[in-house]
């Protein structure tokens, strides 16, 4: 039982340390959207380091998605049946062309 109490105490201490470190890192809310204070007129907004990477990555993934969707194979049932019918017609025509000169009737 003493071991169990010791383990629980260690977990509580580690959680307390984690919470206190998060509180140190986190910004306190100041009442503005995204914690950004209003700028003076004409003052440019300073971007954070991750923003350009995120915009580039999002744009690239959208572009790849659109290109992939454009070039995806056509898998509709109607087109599959059409292709299969054309293949059968082609095979039938090829068979008739090969057997055109042969008389298949049993004339003796």
């Amino acid at each position: 039982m003493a071991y169990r109490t010791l383990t629980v105490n260690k977990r509580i201490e580690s959680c307390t340390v984690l919470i206190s470190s998060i509180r140190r890192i986190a910004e306190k809310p100041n009442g503005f959207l995204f914690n950004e204070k209003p700028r003076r007129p004409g003052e440019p907004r300073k971007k954070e380091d991750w923003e350009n990477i995120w915009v580039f990555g999002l744009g690239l993934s959208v572009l790849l998605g659109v290109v992939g969707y454009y070039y995806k194979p056509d898998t509709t049932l109607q087109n599959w049946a059409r292709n299969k019918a054309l293949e059968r017609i082609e095979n039938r025509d090829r068979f008739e062309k090969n057997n055109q000169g042969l008389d298949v009737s049993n004339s003796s």
Side-chain angles (χ1 to χ4, degrees):
M1 196 60 132
Y3 174 74
R4 193 170 182 87
T5 307
L6 183 62
T7 307
V8 171
N9 287 340
K10 281 186 180 182
R11 285 185 185 171
I12 291 172
E13 287 174 14
S14 65
C15 288
T16 306
V17 169
L18 180 65
I19 290 171
S20 64
S21 64
I22 290 174
R23 284 185 181 153
R24 269 186 292 141
I25 295 171
E27 298 177 13
K28 297 201 186 313
N30 62 5
F32 298 109
L33 183 64
F34 303 121
N35 234 5
E36 293 184 4
K37 295 180 180 170
R39 297 180 307 277
R40 294 185 187 116
E43 183 181 351
R45 180 181 173 275
K46 183 181 177 188
K47 285 189 174 183
E48 295 186 24
D49 296 337
W50 59 268
E51 290 183 66
N52 289 331
I53 296 170
W54 190 86
V55 169
F56 177 74
L58 181 66
L60 184 63
S61 62
V62 167
L63 179 69
L64 287 174
V66 168
V67 168
Y69 183 75
Y70 181 76
Y71 285 107
K72 79 178 180 95
D74 187 12
T75 58
T76 59
L77 183 61
Q78 183 177 4
N79 284 334
W80 173 84
R82 181 178 183 277
N83 291 336
K84 199 66 153 169
L86 290 174
E87 182 182 318
R88 286 181 181 179
I89 291 170
E90 184 180 316
N91 286 340
R92 184 188 65 199
D93 290 345
R94 195 176 325 131
F95 178 75
E96 287 176 358
K97 185 178 179 184
N98 289 340
N99 295 331
Q100 191 175 19
L102 297 177
D103 185 15
V104 287
S105 63
N106 195 5
S107 57
S108 305

